Amino acid sequence: MLLGLTGGRLLPSPRRCLLHCRHIKSAATAASGVGDGVLSAFRSICGEEGVSLGEAVREQHGKDESVHRCRPPDVVVFPRCVEEVSALAKVCHKHRLPIIPFGTGTGLEGGVGAVKGGVCFSLRNMEQVLDLHPEDFDVTVEPGVTRKALNAYLRDTGLWFPVDPGADASLCGMAATSASGTNAVRYGTMRENVMNLEVVLADGSIVHTAGKGRRPRKTSAGYNLTNLFVGSEGTLGIITKTTLRLYGIPEAMVSAVCSFPSVQAAVDSTVQTLQAGVPIARIEFLDDVMIDACNRFSSLSYPVTPTLFLEFHGSEQSLQEQVKTAEDITQSNGGSDFQWARDTETRNRLWKARHDAWYAALALRPGCKAYSTDVCVPLSRLPQIIVETKEDLIENRLTGPIAGHVGDGNFHCLMVVDPNNPEEMHRVHLFTERLARRALAMDGTCTGEHGVGLGKRALLCEEMGPVGIQVMRSLKDTLDPNNLMNPGKILQREEP
Amino acid sequence: MLLGLTGGRLLPSPRRCLLHCRHIKSAATAASGVGDGVLSAFRSICGEEGVSLGEAVREQHGKDESVHRCRPPDVVVFPRCVEEVSALAKVCHKHRLPIIPFGTGTGLEGGVGAVKGGVCFSLRNMEQVLDLHPEDFDVTVEPGVTRKALNAYLRDTGLWFPVDPGADASLCGMAATSASGTNAVRYGTMRENVMNLEVVLADGSIVHTAGKGRRPRKTSAGYNLTNLFVGSEGTLGIITKTTLRLYGIPEAMVSAVCSFPSVQAAVDSTVQTLQAGVPIARIEFLDDVMIDACNRFSSLSYPVTPTLFLEFHGSEQSLQEQVKTAEDITQSNGGSDFQWARDTETRNRLWKARHDAWYAALALRPGCKAYSTDVCVPLSRLPQIIVETKEDLIENRLTGPIAGHVGDGNFHCLMVVDPNNPEEMHRVHLFTERLARRALAMDGTCTGEHGVGLGKRALLCEEMGPVGIQVMRSLKDTLDPNNLMNPGKILQREEP
């Protein structure tokens, strides 16, 4: 079963691309080793229109949604199938050229920057939904398929893919960064929902992490290669297919908003709701600054206090019970009455406001940039870390509303910063390091779902300790001995 | 928070052990390189009573519950803490001695056999429950703690650890083989429930796969080392601590038995129950031969037709709804009325009968041995593979009742075989290979939860293909370059 999904993104026209290529080719060539021979080889694999040296195209592929500066690749290639990805990778391998996979560019830790130049593999032309098996609750997708495109495709099947990081990211990119988001408390992260991957390795060989075409719901057959590549951020290989678990669309969904007198009260309510066995689908925390920003940006009028956005999935009858239990718990912690979003439109507006938190934060300081940093701690440590972090923000005169997937102990500070003010940028940098170290001191992690990328390599060393880092480095050296796959990400290395 | 759990197992008395050691030391020494110097080093690390050369002790540690023949190690050591495990491993590393970790010996694919001799690390003396955090739903255990011991320990906390492979296995051993069992359809397997591991590597260094003491509910920090070691069957390192996710004990549980006119009807009911979003906790299939054996062995009187054992967890109210939906579905597929097990005692008797399937199968042919083989396929392929497998059994005059975790597409044939009849053993061997290949041809795996061990190494090659096997082999070579960690398991290698 195949479907070509037509994305809204535009390829540069072949004509423009070629003219542009001729213009800047020599500059790129000189610096990077991407010579005429290499470009000819690329063109013979994926056509004239599948190779771009255009400055705008390169710049577009050199940055994500973080504040890490643009690091354009020397050339961008647009393969159309795994065979082309493999052939292109073989050329790169032969010429020792870095390979940087690119999905939608919605990452948050600088994962797509070509810090050593090289070849960006833009995978947007591989956009087929393959092998949907509704009765087995699984589907396989190519890297150009985003989560919204997949769910649109699934609409008539009664199934959906629930992992939702907010951005309309590529599903293979979500696998590569081990993404999660608002629904993870109920449905898990990408780690729990990827069943198999097709990966092109640094030498161009193709591996299926659970064996070609396999999709059992569980397996004990050998090492878990699937979860070695999930979260590897393009540093071990290029993900060219992902097989995902699907879920039945719940009979009913209802959302609610509840305001609390304190962070502690909101978090206590969360822990008690989970302890009570309520299978809550989403439980999102917004601090007073964040809800204020959302109110302004999305024309809402919630009280400006610590707030939970909740969502319940299930049958009509089970929803009643879930909601009653959650209401009893929140009220015993001093929470407000629930404000309801029952119909789809109101519910969508509510979650749009949550997903627009980024823009709401930005609107607090027009002209600034947003930088979302992410940590995760055991649930019981959330109140303390949030209170300390808010004090830190005030003390250091920083704007950083807090929003988080509180059922997982995961939260973000949406730092709003003037990129032209180096002193403020430095203060933000120091703040994010303090935040990560605070999480590490509380048995947590420096990143719950954004990944390491460029921004958290030093923190990863502190988190893992020297033996853990050594094991990670040895895995990288084994699978990518020439350090070609997205070099400079996750692990820091000595320059040769 | 610490608790020493007193297991029922007995150490050989130091006196007996020493006498025995002196008697057979030279024989072991000659064959294996476990010379006096090595033994002295071992004794200086874990005491006289922590080193055993006794034949009975070695034989006890050379086999699991499979039909693979006993392959005793040259010596068994009984470390009491991770530092002793590390020090012992360093001695083994220096002298290039194989290391075989041993938990409870309840494996099913020959994973503990010392096929190249060497040193068995029996971990039963490390039996502490460490760091229980009820409010964070996590706990850390040493390798001597079994799942029943943990759940007994947790009884007053309102929490439990649901993964249940039947045997009262060590939790670290369950991590090592990526075990699962009856509850996996709702709570996942070990892959989804292990948050962190402490592992002693081949050179004796100690790694914490998610960083020392860390226990966030999710993380994107670097490569997923935790799931590289889960399911590695002792071939990459010795698991000395496991941090596990816990769950709230459901308010209510109820079990039921339902008989069906055909395998197809039972499987269709399972798929439709999952599609309807019923959060079923257990849904176990037993074929006519299996239910007949269970009836005889456990004094039950269920109809001798394809049967489902079901269990529902939740609030009283949600149970009513779950049960009603499941009953509607089973009846529409021609299932019988549910036979109920509501009180704890009746429920326990029911599940004891299910867990005793092994002994029930054995009782079909007194004096024989049982051999449980395990495959997993996508749900929709279950009816066909079960029907074909039953035909195969009849055609080849084999006794092999079928029981399975049908919600995951995972099932077992409990082969009952006369170990003194080589011709029958050979027929069983050929049958299990055909069964595994049938699963592979249906997009499945040769093992859903038992692991590869010795028995399925050739099948793993067929399942993964050459590139996948090469990647697995390169990971093994990287982490264990001298092939000391449980050599000969999972991956076949050329003899040096």
Side-chain angles (χ1 to χ4, degrees):
Chain A
M1 198 175 306
L2 293 175
L3 178 78
L5 293 165
T6 52
R9 286 153 277 144
L10 287 173
L11 267 172
S13 80
R15 185 175 181 85
R16 179 173 171 275
C17 171
L18 270 177
L19 289 170
H20 213 106
C21 292
R22 291 208 181 98
H23 181 59
I24 68 161
K25 189 169 61 182
S26 53
T29 305
S32 67
V34 182
D36 286 347
V38 167
L39 293 171
S40 295
F42 287 170
R43 292 195 184 103
S44 72
I45 293 164
C46 51
E48 289 286 345
E49 72 279 18
V51 181
S52 177
L53 290 160
E55 195 174 342
V57 174
R58 292 193 300 112
E59 295 227 328
Q60 179 198 335
H61 287 85
K63 62 176 190 293
D64 58 12
E65 294 187 358
S66 71
V67 289
H68 291 282
R69 73 182 172 91
C70 181
R71 304 292 293 264
D74 298 310
V75 55
V76 183
V77 292
F78 298 89
R80 292 161 293 195
C81 60
V82 62
E83 290 76 15
E84 289 188 4
V85 175
S86 169
L88 291 164
K90 283 177 180 163
V91 174
C92 293
H93 187 250
K94 183 176 167 193
H95 294 272
R96 300 290 187 263
L97 296 171
I99 293 171
I100 305 105
F102 191 99
T104 53
T106 45
L108 293 167
E109 286 296 343
V112 297
V115 293
K116 291 177 180 289
V119 184
C120 174
F121 282 52
S122 174
L123 301 161
R124 68 189 186 188
N125 289 349
M126 296 170 65
E127 54 181 354
Q128 291 194 314
V129 177
L130 306 160
D131 299 324
L132 171 64
H133 298 101
E135 71 284 17
D136 296 324
F137 304 88
D138 67 60
V139 70
T140 300
V141 297
E142 290 190 331
V145 181
T146 67
R147 65 176 185 87
K148 286 186 183 173
L150 175 62
N151 281 327
Y153 178 71
L154 293 173
R155 194 163 291 150
D156 296 333
T157 64
L159 299 170
W160 72 315
F161 183 69
V163 181
D164 172 8
D168 187 23
S170 148
L171 291 155
C172 290
M174 286 166 61
T177 51
S178 193
S180 44
T182 53
N183 285 309
V185 63
R186 167 122 172 210
Y187 300 95
T189 72
M190 292 303 278
R191 290 189 178 196
E192 290 84 28
N193 287 293
V194 174
M195 300 166 72
N196 201 347
L197 296 169
E198 180 186 77
V199 180
V200 174
L201 300 173
D203 65 358
S205 59
I206 301 168
V207 68
H208 296 87
T209 56
K212 188 170 184 179
R214 310 210 170 281
R215 49 196 183 83
R217 287 172 72 84
K218 65 185 196 190
T219 173
S220 292
Y223 305 142
N224 185 341
L225 300 185
T226 303
N227 271 307
L228 180 60
F229 286 94
V230 170
S232 64
E233 302 187 34
T235 65
L236 301 180
I238 308 167
I239 297 174
T240 50
K241 282 194 192 87
T242 299
T243 302
L244 297 166
R245 272 193 187 223
L246 301 175
Y247 295 79
I249 294 176
E251 179 186 322
M253 301 185 183
V254 62
S255 303
V257 178
C258 184
S259 309
F260 291 87
S262 67
V263 175
Q264 182 82 48
V267 175
D268 285 351
S269 299
T270 304
V271 172
Q272 290 160 22
T273 303
L274 294 174
Q275 277 172 336
V278 176
I280 196 150
R282 290 167 156 166
I283 187 159
E284 293 288 302
F285 173 81
L286 297 87
D287 79 348
D288 51 347
V289 185
M290 189 77 256
I291 195 74
D292 190 31
C294 287
N295 278 344
R296 290 164 197 238
F297 186 82
S298 301
S299 304
L300 304 169
S301 55
Y302 296 115
V304 179
T305 64
T307 302
L308 290 180
F309 283 14
L310 307 102
E311 188 162 280
F312 306 89
H313 294 175
S315 65
E316 290 288 358
Q317 189 185 328
S318 91
L319 282 201
Q320 282 179 21
E321 190 187 15
Q322 291 183 42
V323 166
K324 165 125 188 29
T325 307
E327 267 189 319
D328 287 349
I329 288 169
T330 52
Q331 292 191 355
S332 74
N333 286 293
S336 69
D337 288 342
F338 281 6
Q339 296 197 46
W340 292 106
R342 290 180 197 276
D343 62 289
T344 308
E345 196 187 332
T346 320
R347 236 174 14 87
N348 287 349
R349 205 161 56 236
L350 177 68
W351 291 107
K352 185 163 186 324
R354 168 64 187 90
H355 283 331
D356 283 347
W358 173 279
Y359 304 103
L362 266 178
L364 292 173
R365 290 179 66 192
C368 285
K369 288 198 76 167
Y371 169 63
S372 175
T373 190
D374 145 66
V375 298
C376 189
V377 295
L379 289 179
S380 63
R381 310 307 300 271
L382 263 177
Q384 187 189 348
I385 194 170
I386 290 177
V387 167
E388 286 180 16
T389 300
K390 287 178 71 70
E391 287 169 1
D392 189 345
L393 287 163
I394 291 166
E395 203 168 298
N396 289 283
R397 298 164 288 120
L398 291 169
T399 308
I402 291 175
H405 316 310
V406 74
D408 299 313
N410 178 212
F411 72 94
H412 312 306
C413 288
L414 297 170
M415 307 306 300
V416 186
V417 57
D418 177 357
N420 299 315
N421 180 341
E423 185 276 328
E424 187 183 344
M425 290 289 281
H426 185 62
R427 262 188 293 135
V428 166
H429 177 70
L430 295 177
F431 165 82
T432 56
E433 287 200 341
R434 281 194 303 276
L435 173 58
R437 294 206 172 99
R438 211 173 280 134
L440 294 182
M442 294 182 184
D443 300 344
T445 173
C446 70
T447 173
E449 57 180 26
H450 292 178
V452 173
L454 283 174
K456 291 191 166 167
R457 293 174 298 175
L459 291 162
L460 180 68
C461 295
E462 296 175 32
E463 176 162 340
M464 289 300 303
V467 183
I469 290 291
Q470 185 49 43
V471 171
M472 288 188 187
R473 197 180 297 281
S474 70
L475 299 177
K476 166 76 172 170
D477 289 345
T478 300
L479 293 175
D480 179 22
N482 301 302
N483 192 25
L484 300 180
M485 295 305 314
N486 206 5
K489 312 301 163 55
I490 298 183
L491 297 167
Q492 279 168 320
R493 353 182 118 238
E494 300 302 313
E495 294 296 320
Chain B
M1 199 176 305
L2 294 175
L3 178 77
L5 293 166
T6 52
R9 285 153 277 144
L10 286 173
L11 266 172
S13 80
R15 185 177 183 82
R16 179 173 171 276
C17 172
L18 270 176
L19 290 171
H20 214 107
C21 293
R22 292 208 180 98
H23 181 61
I24 68 161
K25 191 168 57 180
S26 52
T29 306
S32 67
V34 182
D36 286 345
V38 168
L39 292 172
S40 295
F42 286 170
R43 292 195 184 104
S44 73
I45 292 164
C46 51
E48 289 284 344
E49 71 278 19
V51 181
S52 177
L53 291 159
E55 195 174 343
V57 174
R58 293 193 298 113
E59 295 227 329
Q60 179 199 336
H61 288 84
K63 62 176 190 292
D64 58 11
E65 293 187 359
S66 70
V67 288
H68 291 282
R69 73 183 172 91
C70 180
R71 304 292 294 264
D74 297 309
V75 56
V76 184
V77 292
F78 298 88
R80 292 159 294 195
C81 60
V82 63
E83 290 77 16
E84 289 187 5
V85 175
S86 169
L88 291 165
K90 282 177 181 162
V91 175
C92 293
H93 186 248
K94 183 175 166 195
H95 295 272
R96 301 289 187 263
L97 297 170
I99 293 171
I100 305 105
F102 190 99
T104 52
T106 46
L108 293 167
E109 286 297 344
V112 297
V115 292
K116 291 174 182 290
V119 184
C120 174
F121 282 52
S122 174
L123 301 160
R124 69 186 185 191
N125 289 350
M126 296 171 66
E127 54 181 351
Q128 290 193 314
V129 176
L130 305 160
D131 300 324
L132 170 64
H133 298 100
E135 70 285 19
D136 296 324
F137 305 88
D138 67 60
V139 70
T140 300
V141 297
E142 291 189 330
V145 181
T146 66
R147 66 175 184 86
K148 285 187 184 172
L150 175 63
N151 280 327
Y153 179 71
L154 293 173
R155 193 162 292 149
D156 295 334
T157 64
L159 299 170
W160 70 316
F161 182 70
V163 181
D164 172 8
D168 187 23
S170 148
L171 291 155
C172 290
M174 285 165 60
T177 51
S178 193
S180 45
T182 54
N183 284 307
V185 63
R186 166 120 172 212
Y187 299 96
T189 73
M190 293 304 279
R191 292 190 176 194
E192 290 84 28
N193 286 293
V194 174
M195 301 166 72
N196 201 347
L197 295 169
E198 180 185 77
V199 179
V200 174
L201 300 174
D203 65 358
S205 58
I206 301 168
V207 68
H208 296 86
T209 56
K212 188 170 182 179
R214 311 212 169 280
R215 50 195 182 85
R217 287 172 73 82
K218 66 186 195 189
T219 173
S220 291
Y223 305 141
N224 184 341
L225 300 186
T226 303
N227 271 306
L228 181 59
F229 286 94
V230 170
S232 64
E233 303 187 33
T235 65
L236 301 180
I238 307 167
I239 298 174
T240 51
K241 282 195 193 86
T242 298
T243 303
L244 298 166
R245 274 193 186 221
L246 300 175
Y247 295 79
I249 295 175
E251 180 187 322
M253 300 185 183
V254 61
S255 303
V257 177
C258 185
S259 310
F260 290 88
S262 66
V263 175
Q264 182 82 47
V267 174
D268 284 351
S269 299
T270 304
V271 172
Q272 290 161 23
T273 302
L274 295 173
Q275 277 172 337
V278 176
I280 197 151
R282 289 167 157 166
I283 187 159
E284 293 288 302
F285 172 81
L286 297 87
D287 79 347
D288 51 347
V289 184
M290 188 77 256
I291 195 74
D292 189 32
C294 287
N295 278 344
R296 290 165 197 236
F297 186 80
S298 302
S299 304
L300 304 169
S301 55
Y302 295 116
V304 180
T305 65
T307 301
L308 290 179
F309 283 13
L310 306 102
E311 188 162 279
F312 305 89
H313 294 176
S315 66
E316 291 287 0
Q317 189 183 328
S318 91
L319 283 201
Q320 281 178 21
E321 190 188 14
Q322 290 182 43
V323 166
K324 164 127 189 28
T325 307
E327 267 190 317
D328 287 350
I329 289 169
T330 51
Q331 291 191 352
S332 75
N333 285 292
S336 69
D337 287 343
F338 281 6
Q339 296 198 47
W340 292 105
R342 291 181 195 276
D343 61 291
T344 308
E345 196 186 331
T346 319
R347 237 173 13 87
N348 286 349
R349 204 161 56 234
L350 177 68
W351 290 107
K352 182 161 188 324
R354 168 63 187 89
H355 284 331
D356 282 347
W358 173 279
Y359 303 103
L362 266 179
L364 292 173
R365 288 180 66 191
C368 285
K369 290 198 74 166
Y371 168 63
S372 175
T373 189
D374 145 65
V375 298
C376 189
V377 295
L379 290 179
S380 63
R381 310 307 300 272
L382 263 177
Q384 188 190 348
I385 194 171
I386 290 178
V387 167
E388 286 180 15
T389 301
K390 287 177 71 68
E391 287 168 0
D392 189 344
L393 287 164
I394 292 166
E395 202 169 297
N396 288 282
R397 296 163 291 121
L398 292 169
T399 308
I402 291 175
H405 315 311
V406 74
D408 299 313
N410 179 211
F411 72 93
H412 312 306
C413 288
L414 297 170
M415 307 306 300
V416 187
V417 57
D418 177 358
N420 299 315
N421 181 343
E423 185 276 330
E424 187 184 343
M425 290 290 278
H426 185 62
R427 262 187 293 136
V428 167
H429 177 71
L430 294 179
F431 165 81
T432 56
E433 286 201 342
R434 280 194 304 276
L435 173 58
R437 294 206 172 99
R438 211 174 281 134
L440 294 182
M442 293 182 186
D443 300 345
T445 174
C446 70
T447 173
E449 58 180 26
H450 292 179
V452 173
L454 284 175
K456 290 190 168 170
R457 294 174 298 174
L459 291 162
L460 179 68
C461 295
E462 295 175 32
E463 177 162 341
M464 290 301 301
V467 183
I469 289 292
Q470 185 48 43
V471 171
M472 288 188 186
R473 198 180 296 282
S474 70
L475 298 176
K476 167 74 173 172
D477 289 344
T478 299
L479 293 174
D480 180 22
N482 300 303
N483 191 26
L484 300 180
M485 296 303 315
N486 206 5
K489 312 299 162 57
I490 299 184
L491 297 168
Q492 278 168 319
R493 351 183 119 237
E494 300 303 311
E495 293 297 321

